[in-house]
Amino acid sequence: MKDRRNDGRGREGVLNERSGRSRGEGERHGERPGRGGGQGKPFGGRGGGGAQTFRRGRVLLFLEQMQNHRTTLARQLTQEEFEHIRPVISGELKAMDQVIDEYIHLFELEEEHASNTKDLESD
């Protein structure tokens, strides 16, 4: 239960039962004073781009996983124990190449893909 109290300076605030402290002027429901590093921004005042950078990192990680899967398929294509399913592996490899190409185009990753391909070829 919340109780209205006068703070002694002629202003009324809402007393919070749990903390015993009243919300003063400028504090709204759900806001806490002293949070956000004092810059008026939540959570330390980090500017924009954090979520976008995180998502881009996830996109690049998934591309790397697909490239690893492609490398595994290409290696299996040359191994004798997989000879009886070679047509299936070949089809999966072609499909994986197409998915990787579309993924690179969709997320505009041409620069990263070109540098990764050069690194893989030099190994």
Side-chain angles (χ1 to χ4, degrees):
M1 179 165 162
K2 296 183 179 176
D3 186 18
R4 290 212 168 274
R5 300 280 167 106
N6 190 322
D7 68 357
R9 291 181 273 181
R11 292 182 291 184
E12 275 191 359
V14 177
L15 182 65
N16 187 339
E17 255 184 16
R18 280 194 246 167
S19 68
R21 172 181 98 67
S22 66
R23 283 196 302 262
E25 205 172 292
E27 288 184 50
R28 291 182 300 214
H29 180 70
E31 290 183 358
R32 292 182 177 178
R35 299 280 175 148
Q39 291 125 3
K41 296 180 183 176
F43 306 111
R46 282 186 274 178
Q52 186 176 5
T53 303
F54 175 76
R55 285 189 300 267
R56 184 162 180 83
R58 297 281 299 259
V59 165
L60 292 173
L61 180 64
F62 187 68
L63 176 62
E64 184 179 335
Q65 290 173 346
M66 286 193 297
Q67 289 171 336
N68 288 340
H69 186 72
R70 187 209 177 281
T71 303
T72 301
L73 288 170
R75 187 177 60 244
Q76 289 174 347
L77 201 55
T78 62
Q79 294 176 341
E80 287 184 29
E81 61 262 25
F82 296 108
E83 188 171 331
H84 63 284
I85 59 169
R86 186 166 284 152
V88 173
I89 294 174
S90 178
E92 286 187 22
L93 187 59
K94 288 177 185 176
M96 184 57 64
D97 283 338
Q98 183 179 359
V99 169
I100 288 173
D101 289 342
E102 289 174 3
Y103 193 80
I104 289 169
H105 179 71
L106 178 67
F107 289 103
E108 301 172 355
L109 301 173
E110 282 82 13
E111 301 86 31
E112 289 88 355
H113 178 64
S115 66
N116 288 342
T117 304
K118 288 178 188 175
D119 292 343
L120 291 174
E121 289 173 358
S122 66
D123 289 341

